[in-house]
């Protein structure tokens, strides 16, 4: 990967809807050369996927919460079982197995507190191996970035 690839990827991370001609012009390539580079970056796995990032409030998911989860039983099979249950939930936007005092961190995007209440009943019960969970409702987002600077 060279400087042009990095510039191309930084541009695409800011706005992947730009036309190939526009991007090619900005990075100083011909459109065909630019397209070949993007195809190569996709094939190599450097570009994982191209998505639209929605406004959560306008999409009806204006409440954001972080939840830390401590499991009763540990080990890969117990972790996998809980994560499988969590990622099947529509409100779970991100799920991470982590080190430290907690086992799992979940990022939730919720419609309302009623949805959160019913989610808690399903996700944090004895049957899901959860001994404790702590919820933090996010009141202000200082930074939320998807781009990885290259």
């Amino acid at each position: 990967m060279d400087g042009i690839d990095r510039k191309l990827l930084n541009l695409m991370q800011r706005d992947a809807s730009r036309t190939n001609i526009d991007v090619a012009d900005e990075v100083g390539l011909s459109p065909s050369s630019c397209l070949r580079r993007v195809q190569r970056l996709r094939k190599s796995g450097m570009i994982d996927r191209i998505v639209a990032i929605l406004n959560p409030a306008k999409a009806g998911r204006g409440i954001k919460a972080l939840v830390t989860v401590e499991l009763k039983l540990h080990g890969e099979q117990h972790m996998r079982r809980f994560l499988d249950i969590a990622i099947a939930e529509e409100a779970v936007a991100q799920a991470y197995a982590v080190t430290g005092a907690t086992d799992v961190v979940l990022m939730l995007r919720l419609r309302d507190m009623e949805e959160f209440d019913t989610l808690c009943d399903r996700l944090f019960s004895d049957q899901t191996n959860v001994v404790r969970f702590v919820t933090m409702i996010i009141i202000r987002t200082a930074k939320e970035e998807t781009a990885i600077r290259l």
Side-chain angles (χ1 to χ4, degrees), residues 58-78:
K58 291 185 181 199
R61 297 220 165 251
I63 298 173
K64 184 169 37 171
L66 281 172
V67 182
T68 61
V69 181
E70 185 181 332
L71 301 177
K72 283 185 226 175
L73 302 172
H74 295 88
E76 183 58 32
Q77 71 180 23
H78 300 293

Side-chain angles (χ1 to χ4, degrees), residues 53-115:
I53 298 173
L54 304 183
N55 178 311
K58 291 185 181 199
R61 297 220 165 251
I63 298 173
K64 184 169 37 171
L66 281 172
V67 182
T68 61
V69 181
E70 185 181 332
L71 301 177
K72 283 185 226 175
L73 302 172
H74 295 88
E76 183 58 32
Q77 71 180 23
H78 300 293
M79 176 66 75
R80 175 61 20 220
R81 182 174 172 267
F82 178 77
L83 288 173
D84 286 346
I85 293 167
I87 63 177
E89 291 288 345
E90 185 177 299
V92 175
Q94 299 168 31
Y96 304 98
V98 298
T99 61
T102 192
D103 298 306
V104 174
V105 175
L106 302 174
M107 169 64 79
L108 306 179
R109 291 287 189 166
L110 302 155
R111 284 187 289 275
D112 52 35
M113 292 308 290
E114 185 178 329
E115 181 184 28

